[in-house]
Amino acid sequence: MDGPSGGQRPSVLNAVIDRLEFSMVPVLVLLPLLLHLAALHVLLGVVVLSALPCLLLWYYYATHRRKKRTLFFLTLSLYSLAYMYYLFLTEILPRGDVGPQQVLVVTAGVVITVVSLVRTKRGPGFVVAGAIPAVPDKRSIEMDRGGPPEVRSTGEETQTLVVKGQGSRCAVCKVVRPPRAGHCRICGSCVQRLDHHCIWINSCVGKSNHRCFLFTLSVFLLTSVYGITMVLHSLCPRQHLLTALLYCPGVYNQYSTALCFTCAWYSSTVTLGLLHLLFFQVLNVSFNVTEREAQVALRYKTGRRHLFGLVVDTGEYYRGFFHNWLEFLTMTDSTASGLAPIRQANLV
């Protein structure tokens, strides 16, 4: 068989080049520059760290708004993780305040986070075509027409057909899907037990990867909090941990300590954002409701708010705290029950 001609690129190379987002280069260059700028003076630090989220969002909407799927946030997250780890090894470790055990814990946390992220990216559990007959159902039709953006079909009305009370057929994907599955307009596929499409991992969160998603979040947050604690303990040994971020005398006397202190603030901001996400994820699992189901229930006013409005209970799948978590931790793909098989997702 003839090989590819000199003017043709191999298919693997084509796929890699097609997925590269060269518009990320300015962000990856400016982020460390802005952090170094913030380390020059405390006032510059306040201004830069306050404006940084707005600048990132502005650049994202200016360059990536028209893209359904983008590696912007995933690349930014991994780059930030790698850069913070690099500064930890080059600036904090030489100070002698951190022992080999602490370095091992931080390193293990970073490695486990990345490995768990790769497992999460294997796929949320896409539903593929099956051969199960279906009959119309009004309730499912209304849910797909009025669902939130990540589960609503674009440009056309979606008719969903229920399969003998056990599944439904999506008119967009033309596949029979199990209960609680939903259509993601960003991925263009139906996902088993769809929770939401997460921009941070550039993938849906569904039945196959929801546990890995929560595990990745948890390990990252524990590693981040532990790393920030080690940095503040090294920079501000006389300050209490809870007040060190707000008041650390003499930290701006040396540029290296100021840079580490600035990065600790940056890491704390990211950590608080992801802690917010994990908090609501845990609440939803505790009430056995997905983010998609909660949004649909709010739209149609069919759910009840609990815990001062923090969580929405649809009342359909709630079995009690213990049984809700047991179901979440032991749930299996629909392939085990004879429904449609799972299509794996791309790792990027």
Side-chain angles (χ1 to χ4, degrees), residues 185-233:
R185 66 179 178 87
I186 298 177
C187 293
S189 301
C190 283
V191 177
Q192 294 187 79
R193 199 181 181 276
L194 174 63
D195 188 81
H196 69 287
H197 183 94
C198 183
I199 58 175
W200 293 102
I201 64 173
N202 190 36
S203 174
C204 284
V205 176
K207 196 171 187 178
S208 294
N209 67 348
H210 203 164
R211 287 189 298 266
C212 259
F213 177 73
L214 291 189
F215 180 76
T216 304
L217 270 180
S218 301
V219 174
F220 173 81
L221 289 173
L222 289 174
T223 304
S224 180
V225 170
Y226 186 77
I228 293 171
T229 301
M230 293 296 100
V231 171
L232 294 179
H233 176 73

Side-chain angles (χ1 to χ4, degrees), residues 8-27:
Q8 294 179 337
R9 294 176 301 189
S11 57
V12 175
L13 180 60
N14 283 335
V16 172
I17 293 177
D18 289 341
R19 293 183 181 277
L20 287 177
E21 296 186 7
F22 294 101
S23 56
M24 281 297 302
V25 174
V27 175

Side-chain angles (χ1 to χ4, degrees), residues 52-126:
L52 188 57
C54 298
L55 289 174
L56 291 175
L57 288 176
W58 171 82
Y59 186 81
Y60 167 75
Y61 280 109
T63 58
H64 295 72
R65 180 175 54 183
R66 298 182 182 275
K67 298 181 179 180
K68 288 187 176 182
R69 301 189 66 186
T70 173
L71 297 175
F72 182 88
F73 292 101
L74 178 60
T75 305
L76 180 63
S77 302
L78 292 176
Y79 182 75
S80 298
L81 179 64
Y83 187 65
M84 296 302 110
Y85 181 68
Y86 167 76
L87 288 179
F88 181 81
L89 294 181
T90 57
E91 298 292 345
I92 298 299
L93 185 59
R95 293 173 60 87
D97 300 319
V98 178
Q101 294 85 0
Q102 286 83 4
V103 176
L104 181 61
V105 171
V106 173
T107 303
V110 172
V111 172
I112 294 174
T113 298
V114 174
V115 172
S116 181
L117 177 62
V118 172
R119 290 182 59 86
T120 304
K121 289 285 295 176
R122 286 185 175 181
F126 291 112

Side-chain angles (χ1 to χ4, degrees), residues 15 26 40 63 74 111 139 157 161 177 218 260-261 302 319 345 347:
L40 294 176
T63 58
L74 178 60
V111 172
R139 184 173 180 275
E157 292 187 354
L161 305 175
R177 61 192 189 188
S218 301
C260 293
F261 186 73
T302 58
R319 301 293 183 270
L347 294 183

